[in-house]
Amino acid sequence: TSANEKKRNFTETVEAHVMLGVDPRRGDQMVRGAITLPHGTGKTVRVAVFAEGPSAEEARAAGADVVGGDELIEEIRK
């Protein structure tokens, strides 16, 4: 933020409403999407993988932040 900007006391949001004419109850007509925000959400993304043995090593090599099995479940519960 620059010195000229005021601190906002709310979370900024954007809504988009589009009339597509699809029936959401039908599985073949579902519409989903995703966007990438220009400055991100400001939150740090961490990847946790529940795996053991060779799969755990593969996950670590792929860049997972936390890898584990049952002990990881207990750690997350705390």
Side-chain angles (χ1 to χ4, degrees):
T1 62
S2 69
N4 297 335
E5 292 183 32
K6 292 182 180 178
K7 181 171 179 354
R8 293 176 179 86
N9 293 327
F10 61 92
T11 303
E12 297 102 359
T13 59
V14 175
E15 288 187 22
H17 299 265
V18 180
M19 181 67 85
L20 297 174
V22 297
D23 185 3
R25 293 173 292 197
R26 298 198 47 195
D28 61 337
Q29 295 186 5
M30 294 298 265
V31 177
R32 296 178 188 260
I35 63 167
T36 303
L37 299 173
H39 300 289
T41 60
K43 296 181 181 179
T44 304
V45 176
R46 294 178 59 200
V47 177
V49 177
F50 295 95
E52 293 178 349
S55 298
E57 294 303 319
E58 197 174 308
R60 281 189 190 92
D65 296 317
V66 182
V67 179
D70 293 333
E71 72 278 357
L72 182 56
I73 294 171
E74 292 301 320
E75 183 180 330
I76 291 173
R77 281 187 183 157
K78 293 178 186 177

